[in-house]
């Protein structure tokens, strides 16, 4: 039995394209529809209720396109709307936080772990809470790294500036002797190599990779797999012009069927 | 004749506090009410209509507090809502763009000028358009510097990282032989010294200073001056908790009467 319906991938902006890239790599036979709400990014600056409303609108838009599984490829949307969507949607819902937390817990040897993310994600404390729910004795050190997203957006991946910023942010965690750090922002996989070159002893959990792995497992366990031919990748953004220059770094290596602008409406 | 009513100062966030600081310095006898819409910052990510609606709500809130003059201490709000507010409000309205443009035109010797700002401001092209309206022959070079705001927000003012970023952004303008650059973002005065230490030959136009000068002149010409005793400075933010850590760098040197959270409603 095969299921040719596409997998829906939603993010407030472009960062979720790192999740999409990992999904395509893990599941080359599947079709994907990516919806990036670039007209209203960043969600981190919005109220909880607004984030929930926007996420619901995105989910409704994707459900109307007959998706078989909904991936929340956005830390903020997962933190504030993940539980709600899991309850309300008619298809399986997978967010980016849980897979990252699970990998972090299974990989850390010394039980001292780090979480890095945007200010909004770190302020929400969602990673630390979910980690402690699983293991109350683990030591969690969180660090907001607000310069990483603009550095990635500038395409300044392997610059001296970026290496200095990595040193500035991560040395604090290194001093706390953490052995594993989760990348709690979908932009961060793009500077993973730079982080590792500065801190080679760290084990980095890439939530985009882990989420792709979780989706692949779920597709298998629920019998939702497509028939294995190459699937199509379609990208829809709510504002196409503003972020055009940023798209490039995210799309490298992705083969795309279409890129369109769409409008979201309240459901 | 004296007019003890306060001057209203509006910004989408905290950057406008650099304008407030210059206003207090220029007009120590005046009282000020600053309204920062920190719950909905950054406006640069919003649609034109939304920016106009938010700005109108802020204006109504300040007018209800009996202000005698309305300062738009925000480049985005000035660009998208300045003309509308100038038409509609019952008090004089002064934005941050016009004073900066005037200073730029009067200071440049070689008629090659630079504009730096956020991506939203540079994309709006508002500075370049207004400059060319006044002087069609002037050469305008615009450069978005999206890392400056997060660097200021981190308090990384005189760090090596910041000097490298300044080099990266400004060397392009320096190569074009511009002699004068306008700081088209209210955060940038906080890294003015760093910019000047890297590019000492540049003449920098600080729109916060220029706006304060324009307000002082208008207060005089319209006979709106207070009686010269020390005025009160009141700050209202639509979200007090989220940006608390950023406030510090903006408030240094400002003596404040009160700091409160308020809610804005549609007029």
């Amino acid at each position: 039995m095969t299921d040719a319906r596409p997998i829906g991938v939603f993010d407030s902006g472009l960062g979720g394209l790192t999740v999409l890239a990992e999904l395509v790599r893990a599941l080359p036979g599947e079709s994907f529809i990516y919806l990036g709400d670039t007209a209203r990014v960043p969600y981190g600056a919005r109220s909880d209720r607004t984030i929930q409303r926007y996420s619901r609108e995105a989910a409704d838009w994707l459900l109307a396109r007959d998706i078989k599984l909904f991936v929340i490829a956005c830390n903020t949307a997962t933190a504030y709307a993940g539980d709600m969507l899991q309850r309300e949607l008619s298809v399986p819902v997978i967010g980016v936080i849980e897979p990252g937390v699970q990998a972090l817990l299974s990989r850390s040897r010394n039980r001292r772990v780090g979480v890095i993310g945007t200010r909004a994600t770190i302020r929400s404390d969602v990673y630390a809470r979910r980690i402690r729910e699983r293991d109350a004795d683990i030591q969690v050190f969180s660090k907001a790294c607000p310069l990483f997203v603009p550095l990635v957006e500038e395409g300044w991946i392997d610059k001296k500036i970026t290496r200095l910023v990595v040193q500035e942010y991560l040395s604090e965690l290194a001093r706390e002797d953490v052995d594993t750090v989760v990348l709690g922002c979908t932009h961060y996989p793009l500077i993973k190599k730079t982080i590792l070159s500065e801190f080679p002893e760290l084990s980095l959990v890439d939530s985009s990779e882990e989420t792709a792995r979780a989706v692949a497992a779920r597709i298998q366990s629920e019998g939702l797999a497509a028939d294995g031919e190459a699937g199509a990748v379609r990208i829809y953004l709510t504002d196409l012009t503003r972020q055009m220059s940023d798209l490039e770094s995210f799309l490298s290596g992705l083969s795309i069927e279409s890129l369109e602008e769409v409008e979201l409406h309240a459901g």
Side-chain angles (χ1 to χ4, degrees), chain A:
Chain A
M1 215 185 79
T2 64
D3 188 333
R5 289 178 300 164
I7 294 171
V9 183
F10 157 59
D11 179 30
S12 57
L14 301 177
L17 290 170
T18 63
V19 180
L20 178 65
E22 294 296 339
L23 284 164
V24 170
R25 205 186 323 260
L27 298 161
E30 298 291 337
S31 292
F32 296 93
I33 302 183
Y34 180 93
L35 174 61
D37 194 5
T38 47
R40 304 192 288 198
V41 75
Y43 282 12
R46 309 288 191 267
S47 71
D48 303 9
R49 231 185 54 200
T50 301
I51 296 166
Q52 286 165 8
R53 183 160 59 82
Y54 288 176
S55 301
R56 182 71 222 213
E57 286 171 25
D60 288 343
W61 189 91
L62 282 164
L63 286 171
R65 270 137 201 94
D66 198 26
I67 57 168
K68 62 184 172 188
L69 189 140
F70 183 72
V71 181
I72 318 176
C74 171
N75 280 278
T76 305
T78 303
Y80 293 102
D83 291 343
M84 176 196 81
L85 294 173
Q86 215 128 30
R87 274 195 314 274
E88 296 181 3
L89 300 199
S90 54
V91 300
V93 173
I94 293 181
V96 280
I97 294 174
E98 211 53 39
V101 166
Q102 289 195 14
L104 190 75
L105 289 169
S106 76
R107 281 211 228 151
S108 172
R109 292 288 154 257
N110 69 359
R111 320 312 288 157
R112 299 174 73 81
V113 299
V115 178
I116 59 176
T118 63
R119 282 192 178 175
T121 297
I122 297 304
R123 195 172 41 219
S124 79
D125 209 36
V126 58
Y127 275 93
R129 273 187 288 111
R130 303 234 172 141
I131 293 165
R132 287 195 208 99
E133 276 165 25
R134 304 288 188 80
D135 182 343
D137 293 329
I138 206 162
Q139 292 264 20
V140 186
F141 301 90
S142 301
K143 177 73 184 168
C145 305
L147 278 161
F148 282 174
V149 168
L151 283 168
V152 166
E153 284 176 349
E154 283 290 50
W156 294 1
I157 303 302
D158 192 31
K159 260 184 151 45
K160 187 179 178 189
I161 291 166
T162 310
R163 291 197 298 274
L164 286 172
V165 174
V166 165
Q167 278 290 346
E168 188 77 30
Y169 284 140
L170 275 287
S171 56
E172 202 175 292
L173 296 178
R175 272 197 302 275
E176 295 290 355
D177 194 32
V178 306
D179 68 348
T180 314
V181 173
V182 63
L183 307 179
C185 170
T186 53
H187 280 71
Y188 295 2
L190 293 176
I191 51 166
K192 194 164 66 170
K193 276 187 192 162
T194 312
I195 296 175
L196 280 174
S197 75
E198 297 298 311
F199 294 92
E201 70 286 3
L202 279 184
S203 170
L204 292 188
V205 173
D206 179 337
S207 344
S208 300
E209 266 177 38
E210 300 302 331
T211 302
R213 226 167 264 162
V215 171
R218 188 73 174 267
I219 288 284
Q220 280 308 320
S221 70
E222 306 238 355
L224 293 170
D227 64 1
E229 287 175 30
V233 177
R234 293 195 165 79
I235 295 179
Y236 298 87
L237 304 176
T238 53
D239 185 321
L240 200 54
T241 52
R242 294 200 183 184
Q243 329 266 338
M244 241 7 226
S245 56
D246 301 334
L247 258 176
E248 214 174 311
S249 47
F250 285 106
L251 293 184
S252 75
L254 262 181
S255 165
I256 286 163
E257 205 85 352
S258 66
L259 174 63
E260 279 175 53
E261 185 169 291
V262 292
E263 213 172 313
L264 294 184
H265 294 287

